[in-house]
Amino acid sequence: MFPLLSKTARAGSVVLRQQQHRQYCTPVVNIFDRNVKRLQRERAARRDDVELYDYIKEEVGYRLADRIFDIKRQFTNAVDLGAGRGYVTNHVLGETVQKLTAVDLSPAMLSQIKGSPGLDFSIREMDEERFQFEDDSLDLVVSSLSMHWINDLPACFRAVNRALKPDGVFIGAMFGGDTLYELRSALQLADQERKGGLAPHVSPFTQIRDVGMLLNRGGFTMLTIDTDELVIGYPSMYELMFDLQGMAESNAAFNRPVHVGRDTLMAAAAIYKDMYARKEEGVQATFQIIFFVGWKPCASQPQPAERGSGTVSLKDLGKVMTPTGSGCKK
């Protein structure tokens, strides 16, 4: 027999159990097979024509390196997370970053990093999901088109935040939810037509509305998030899929279909051409890029004023913005 408790005591125990359950019962769902992704990168890096498939990652890496240059300070210790073949490292200037460590899952990719003249860089094989550096040891972490393959993004963001010094900055780019929506739609329609169901041929991507929330949960502040789209033309769907394989961006989800029938591919290619044909020739493919900047909190950063500390009413805002006698004189 359980002892009789008052309603207040029973309610308090229920709340306590719920709080404990919320704290510990947040399991991570592993969507991507990291071993498969490692093999894909290794195979792509060993291709003789690997440079032909770097056009998207080189473009985005150059843009991220330019954003590092826009921050008017010199970084003493930086990390390129998911460096690949050095898409960011090869464009970072030695005058901006004193020491840079390029980390990636694939040793074959890391061995092909050239760096830029005057840059002191080193390579380190590391899974992005197991980001491990000493606490408060870095003042810059940059990541280009790698984090969309990480299963536990909040944990990765927290690890980056711990490794950053106060007022350190995290700059990154990742594929957004609208990436390859044409290919996804064509394959889904072909599956429905041929098999009467759907299969996850294209990996899921993070939505832009979720990136800010995840960065806040990771402990970052003063967030800046924007998005851009790269629309690229291909002769057909097959060339697009071939290039994705060369980029090491093939599907790596655990529930991906092992085999896609020829009839399904032919149907998908016909649907793709019919729905997303370019005006000139061939088809188009959209790559949505989400750029973000987050800072580790520091006492020296600008702080919001306390609530109720304002001294000007909103109704007088026009007078403040346009003081008396400041108009154009006729």
Side-chain angles (χ1 to χ4, degrees), residues 70 102 113 150 181 196 229 241:
D70 289 339
I113 297 179
I150 293 179
Y181 74 88
E229 286 188 353
M241 297 176 68

Side-chain angles (χ1 to χ4, degrees), residues 28 34 81-82 126-132 141 143 146-164 170 214-215 217-220 292:
V28 176
R34 298 294 295 175
L81 179 61
M126 177 189 297
D127 191 338
E128 296 96 315
E129 289 190 344
R130 295 173 175 81
F131 184 82
Q132 294 180 352
V141 175
S143 177
S146 173
M147 307 200 76
H148 57 282
W149 293 116
I150 293 179
N151 287 297
D152 192 357
L153 268 178
C156 181
F157 287 165
R158 289 193 296 269
V160 171
N161 188 275
R162 286 194 300 269
L164 284 172
F170 180 29
L214 294 173
L215 286 169
R217 286 178 57 186
F220 292 96
F292 59 86

Side-chain angles (χ1 to χ4, degrees), residues 257-276:
V258 179
H259 175 72
V260 182
R262 181 179 299 179
D263 57 339
T264 302
L265 286 176
M266 293 179 65
I271 295 171
Y272 201 125
K273 184 176 180 180
D274 182 65
M275 295 181 61
Y276 305 109

Side-chain angles (χ1 to χ4, degrees), residues 175-221:
F175 286 124
D178 291 339
T179 299
L180 298 176
Y181 74 88
E182 303 97 340
L183 181 62
R184 189 192 307 271
S185 301
L187 288 169
Q188 286 178 349
L189 292 173
D191 268 341
Q192 285 181 333
E193 177 188 345
R194 301 290 174 167
K195 299 180 180 179
L198 298 178
H201 296 287
V202 180
S203 299
F205 297 103
T206 306
Q207 298 291 335
I208 187 173
R209 63 177 177 270
D210 298 326
V211 175
M213 176 192 67
L214 294 173
L215 286 169
N216 274 323
R217 286 178 57 186
F220 292 96
T221 186

